[in-house]
Amino acid sequence: MTTLLHLDSALFPEGSASREISAAFVQAWREQHPDGKVVYRDLAAEPLPHLTAEAAAAGAEHPLRGELAAELAAADAVLIGAPMYNFSIPSTLKAWLDHVIIMGHNAGPESPVAGTPITVVASRGGSYAAGTPRADAEFVQNYLATLLTSMFAADVDFIVPELTLAHSNPAMAELIPLADSSRAKAFTDASEKAKALAARLAA
């Protein structure tokens, strides 16, 4: 039986692109692999405390850090909902990363997480794709790709629904067709990637 660790970090339970698309990923995963296990953490509804000096010094011996590290190590795949807030990831997701990355325990070239597939749903209200005016302000994909590969040697993949504010921001009205196209592609990517990954891990 394979295990998917699913993390959501969007503030609002309704109307969140990252939540909706990650939910579609989980649904496709379950359809492909009904005997699989899904471990879920809603980091917005139940936020973790910030890392303290005491917890940092204790490492994996700290109860919470040890629990989170064990949860990650037990996962065959990880799904992270990571909306862009103020050009970066939500602070709740950063808190999880600060707790779960433990040097000398699970971080480094011999990481027990090495090779684990991590899919990130990186939603954003605008577009920060290469060639766009705000490309140099893309600090979600760049940050998470660098962090997760350098610390865990994980196999990181992204699903990126863009322009999610187009329907609610009148100044972005002309971008609605592009937003709808990006959203549709994200749902398709979520379904296809989840099914392919579940099949690969179940083989």
Side-chain angles (χ1 to χ4, degrees):
M1 181 175 68
T2 58
T3 298
L4 173 68
L5 174 60
H6 175 198
L7 308 173
D8 268 329
S9 61
L11 284 173
F12 300 104
E14 303 295 334
S16 162
S18 67
R19 286 181 180 272
E20 291 172 354
I21 292 161
S22 65
F25 184 105
V26 173
Q27 180 180 346
W29 168 280
R30 290 187 187 277
E31 290 172 356
Q32 182 68 31
H33 192 39
D35 295 328
K37 178 181 179 182
V38 177
V39 176
Y40 180 63
R41 279 189 180 271
D42 188 332
L43 299 174
E46 298 182 12
L48 301 170
H50 288 297
L51 185 67
T52 63
E54 177 186 4
E61 298 302 314
H62 186 271
L64 177 58
R65 299 191 77 194
E67 175 188 350
L68 295 172
E71 199 169 73
L72 175 61
D76 298 287
V78 181
L79 172 66
I80 301 174
M84 178 184 280
Y85 291 163
N86 298 320
F87 301 111
S88 186
I89 63 173
S91 61
T92 51
L93 178 55
K94 181 60 165 60
W96 179 83
L97 290 165
D98 287 342
H99 279 288
V100 83
I101 297 171
I102 306 174
M103 300 305 298
H105 178 72
N106 63 5
E110 304 300 323
S111 172
V113 186
T116 299
I118 299 180
T119 304
V120 180
V121 180
S123 59
R124 59 278 314 275
S127 178
Y128 300 82
T132 63
R134 285 192 164 184
D136 61 351
E138 204 303 297
F139 302 122
V140 173
Q141 279 181 270
N142 290 336
Y143 168 65
L144 290 176
T146 300
L147 182 75
L148 296 172
T149 56
S150 63
M151 291 295 186
F152 293 140
D155 179 12
V156 185
D157 192 19
F158 288 90
I159 299 170
V160 187
E162 295 192 314
L163 304 168
T164 61
L165 292 177
H167 282 274
S168 59
N169 185 346
M172 298 175 66
E174 64 181 18
L175 299 174
I176 288 176
L178 291 176
D180 291 344
S181 176
S182 179
R183 179 180 173 84
K185 183 179 185 303
F187 275 107
T188 298
D189 286 348
S191 179
E192 292 179 351
K193 290 176 185 289
K195 289 178 180 178
L197 183 57
R200 189 182 96 195
L201 293 174

